[in-house]
Structures are given as structure tokens and as C-alpha cells.
Amino acid sequence: MKCDLVVVGAGPAGSMAAKTAADEGLDVVLLEKRQEIGDPVRCAEGVGKVALAEMVKPDPSWISAEVRGARIYAPDGTPFVMTEDRAGSEVGYVLERKVFDRMLAMKAAEAGARVMVKTRALGLLEENGVPTGIIALHIGEKIEIEAPLIIGADGIESKVGRWAGIDTVLKPQDIEVGVQFLVQDGKIDGEYCEFFLGNEIAPGGYVWAFPKGKNLANLGIGIQGSRSDPGMSLRLLQRFLKEHMPQAKILEMMVGGVPVSGPIESTTSNGVMLVGDAARQSDPITGGGIINAMRAGVMAGEVAAELVQQGDLSREALKIYEDRWRDTIGKQIARNYSAKELFVTLTDSDLNGLVHSLEGEDVANLELKDLLKLLARQNPKLLWKLRHLRR
Amino acid sequence: MLIINRYKCGYCGACVGACPATALELVETWLEVDESCVGCGICTKICPLGALELTEEGET
Ligand SMILES: Cc1cc2nc3c(=O)[nH]c(=O)nc-3n(C[C@H](O)[C@H](O)[C@H](O)COP(=O)(O)OP(=O)(O)OC[C@H]3O[C@@H](n4cnc5c(N)ncnc54)[C@H](O)[C@@H]3O)c2cc1C
Ligand code: SF4
Ligand code: SF4
């Protein structure tokens, strides 16, 4: 089989890349190793409304809930609230990713991409050390797909980069690992996405509760890999549930890891681009990666269309993609990596102090940027490391 | 040797992304380990469900 572009992985990054490139006229093959796109889900499903609507028209078939903002709890239980339009781009909708991911793949298919499920990329085809396509296992049969360009959108477990000599190994301190239950409970607040901070609750991470509809929520935990021990995520989440919602019923369970490494050194190689979690483009402070994955997918799809038509797919030529994402989403990823590096060092009393310092201040309507400024002003010693965030 | 408890594993792929030796592969819901495993223990530590365990060579 021959085409202009092979995209490995039909998550948000891969489907957006495939759609964008196919819209521009490329012959695209989109591979997904699962037999059902989007399932099993590995996500809390929160996204910002504005950012999402810039890329796809919101549709009730894949939106489970709309929230008014975020409520963040200090380790001692003190809350503070941020309204939706101010909570950065992190909350707004809670999606149904099983439906959402398939819808995005369908958009790629409508644009002309050939989608192949139960098709796992096994390695690169190469000629004189230059990738010329992908070897894959399609429903148990080996196939070869020749293409001058490959986009690796293969998520947390990405191999495409490793095959192409790009170092994507996540150090334990640069991965958040977790478990999530879909819980049903009368106590669930359907209006806000909630975040619970604390070293006892979730070392180097947080517990979240994102509403999914009436009395339903994604209740999950993410902890820093370097502070985890075998099975710790599950034990801590079970304890949280027992203490906070002892009556809750668990209707679904999922497990996952998200990169929090900040921008990696390189996301391109001759004939290869990485996008989304494969390129470690998720946000290091929130662990959110859907929007960045989609944006990077669009950028890579555009660059693919430009360069395949011109015929130069060398690493030097692909630098356009490298520059584009670093100049856009990369800036915030880098900034939030510094914030994460500080966040993971905070003790519970630091965290309590930070939240208390906001008491009496009208924070609900502050922009995230102004909130950080205020925090830095109230807590000069603690946050001096974050002074460069105040620009 | 790395022992995978597939009754526990939630096939999330976190261990695959963190393995420095590229020894792990997730085949849909089936996690595999190959001979390149160096026994560093990173995967066992980060596994959210505790599905991985290292044993001394020879033991099972
Ligand atoms: C617990 C948890 C909670 C999260 N919560 C949020 C949240 O609330 N908001 C948010 O924005 N983000 C969240 N994220 C992050 C978000 O899920 C990811 O950033 C996002 O899915 C990345 O999209 P992607 O397309 O890069 O990768 P993925 O969605 O992971 O897609 C990669 C695809 O590639 C496929 N694949 C892998 N290897 C191969 C191969 N060899 N051949 C063929 N196909 C392959 C996989 O099967 C998969 O379908 C969360 C993550 C976790 C783990
Ligand atoms: S980290 Fe644990 S649950 Fe996830 S795939 Fe690896 S062994 Fe399975
Ligand atoms: S023990 Fe280390 S080398 Fe072996 S599979 Fe686990 S992470 Fe990879």
C-alpha cells in the first residue's frame, strides 16, 4: 500500500493531523491499533470551551456536562473558586471521549483519510537509514505502507519517536500516573470541576471530580511517578472515596499516565513528526492534553501538506513544525513545567498558606495570570521561583 | 525477571512510556515484555494498579 502520509494513532492528535492533511489534498492512511477508536478511555475529559470550539463545533452527542468553573481545595479543605471563563482553558465541557474520539476519526475519514483499525504499527520501513513507511499488523496480518512522511500520534506509549531515534522516554518524575472511577453519588456537585490538593491525598498531583451528568462524576487521582509505589494510585483513590463519598457506586474504572515532562528536545526526525502525548505536549501543571494534541495535530497536518507537495521531508525542512508548535502551545507548556517543578516541592502547609492568602480577595474573576501575580505578591518567599511567570 | 499480572493490569500504557529499555509493548489489552528488560524497576513503581513485579532471575 502506498500513500503520502501515514498517521500512527487515532486519538485527538492523530485524527486532527489526518483530517488537516487530507483536507489539503494528501492521500492519508490513519492507523489505530485498537479495534474500537476511543475505547478504553484514559482521560478525565475536561476541556476549555473556547479552545475546543475553535477546532470543532460543539455537539451534545459528545458533551456530557457543562461546568461553571473550578473549585480547588487546599489540603485542610479550604476551597477557592475560579469561574469558567477565568479558569484558564482547562474546564468548561466534560466530554464523552468514546464518542468524541470516534467523531474526530470520522472527520478525518470524511476528509478522505483511509482509517484502519486493529492495525498496530510495528516499526519503520527504511531505505539507507531514511524512513519510507510503516510496517504494521492489520488484524494479525503483516502489511507494509509506503509513505514519505510519518506522523507519530501514538500517545503516552509512543514508539514511533523511539524508532526514529527521538528520545521520548518519560522519567518517573515527568509522568503523572493515575486511576479514575466513574462514580454515582448524590453528593456530586454538577456545577464545578473540583480539585483536591495535598501530599497525603495525592503526592505531586491531585484528586479531581469532574461532573458527567446528574449525580455522576469522573473521580480520579494523578500522582507523580517518582513518588509512586506499586499500586499506590489505586489505594489512595479508594481511600479518598471511602472518606469523601462512602456511599458512591463505581460504574466504570480506567487507568492512565500523562506526560508532564515539558517540551522535549526534539519532536522531528527525517520523515517523522510527533504530535500530542507522543510529543509530550500535554500541560505539565494540569495534565490536560486534548487541546494541545488537537492543535499540534492541525499544525503537523498543515506542515505535512506543504512539505509533501514540495518533496523535502528532511529533519531540517520539518523544523517548520518544530518552530510552529514551540512558538504557540510550547510557550505555555514550558511555563507550566516550571510551575509544576515548584508545585511538587510544596508541603501541605505551603499549599494551605497559598489558599489562605487568597481569603478576602475577590479571586473568582481573576485571570490565571493575575491570580499567579496575586499569589506571588501575597507569598513572596514561597513563590519567588515563579517570578518569571508574572510577565 | 518482570512478572506481569494481567488480571490486575488496566492496559494504560504508562509503563510502556516510562520504560527506558523499550522492553514493553501494549497489544490492545495485553502487555508484553521482551528480553531487552534491564530490571530497573521503574515500571513496577509507577504502575497505578501494582500489576508488575520484579523477581530474582530464575524465580517465578
Ligand atoms: C487519568 C488521565 C486524565 C486525563 N484528563 C484529562 C483532561 O481532563 N483533560 C485533558 O485535556 N486531557 C486529559 N488527559 C490527557 C489526555 O487524555 C491526552 O493528552 C490525550 O488523549 C492525548 O491525545 P493523543 O491523540 O496525543 O493520544 P491518545 O489519545 O493517547 O491516542 C493515541 C492513540 O494511538 C494508538 N496507538 C498507540 N500505539 C500505536 C501503534 N503502535 N499503532 C497504532 N496505533 C497506536 C492508541 O491506541 C491511541 O488510540 C488525561 C490523561 C489521563 C491518563
Ligand atoms: S502501568 Fe500497570 S496498569 Fe498500566 S499497562 Fe503497565 S502494568 Fe498495566
Ligand atoms: S524493569 Fe525497567 S527495563 Fe524492565 S520493563 Fe520495567 S521499566 Fe522496562
Side-chain angles (χ1 to χ4, degrees), chain B residues 33 35 41 57:
Chain B
V33 59
E35 65 294 340
E57 210 59 53

Side-chain angles (χ1 to χ4, degrees), chain A residues 322-341:
Chain A
E322 200 84 68
D323 292 344
R324 278 190 203 167
W325 82 259
R326 286 180 201 276
D327 281 347
T328 50
I329 57 172
K331 288 200 170 135
Q332 187 172 2
I333 299 172
R335 223 185 311 125
N336 286 0
Y337 181 71
S338 318
K340 167 220 149 190
E341 288 291 274

Side-chain angles (χ1 to χ4, degrees), chain A residues 33 35 42 118 120 156-157 159 162 170 177-179 225-226 228-231 233-234 253 255-256, chain B residues 10-14 16-20 22 24-28 42 44-50:
Chain A
K33 70 175 172 181
Q35 47 187 26
R42 300 169 182 159
K118 209 170 175 73
R120 181 166 56 99
I156 182 94
E157 75 224 72
K159 292 280 169 71
R162 294 190 190 206
L170 289 167
V177 294
V179 181
S226 50
S228 165
D229 63 38
S233 303
L234 178 63
M253 166 176 167
V255 196
Chain B
Y11 30 91
C12 71
V16 182
C19 172
T22 318
L24 295 167
E25 168 80 352
L26 187 60
V27 185
E28 295 198 61
I42 288 175
T44 63
K45 191 174 148 66
I46 66 160
C47 174
L49 302 180

Side-chain angles (χ1 to χ4, degrees), chain B residues 2 19-21 23-24 33 37-43 54:
Chain B
L2 187 74
C19 172
L24 295 167
V33 59
C37 170
V38 295
C40 68
I42 288 175
C43 58
L54 274 176

Side-chain angles (χ1 to χ4, degrees), chain A residues 251-262:
Chain A
L251 304 180
E252 234 176 66
M253 166 176 167
M254 62 117 244
V255 196
V258 66
V260 291
S261 58

Side-chain angles (χ1 to χ4, degrees), chain A residues 21 27 33 52 59 108 199 205 226 247-248 333 343 352 378 382 385:
Chain A
D27 180 9
K33 70 175 172 181
L52 185 74
D59 186 285
N199 289 285
S226 50
Q247 306 298 327
I333 299 172
F343 172 77
N352 288 331
Q378 310 277 61
L382 196 57
K385 280 192 231 154

Side-chain angles (χ1 to χ4, degrees), chain A residues 372-390:
Chain A
L372 285 171
K373 263 188 211 166
L374 177 67
L375 278 170
R377 198 163 64 232
Q378 310 277 61
N379 308 272
K381 253 199 199 132
L382 196 57
L383 293 185
W384 76 270
K385 280 192 231 154
L386 282 184
R387 63 201 181 286
H388 57 283
L389 301 184
R390 293 161 57 185

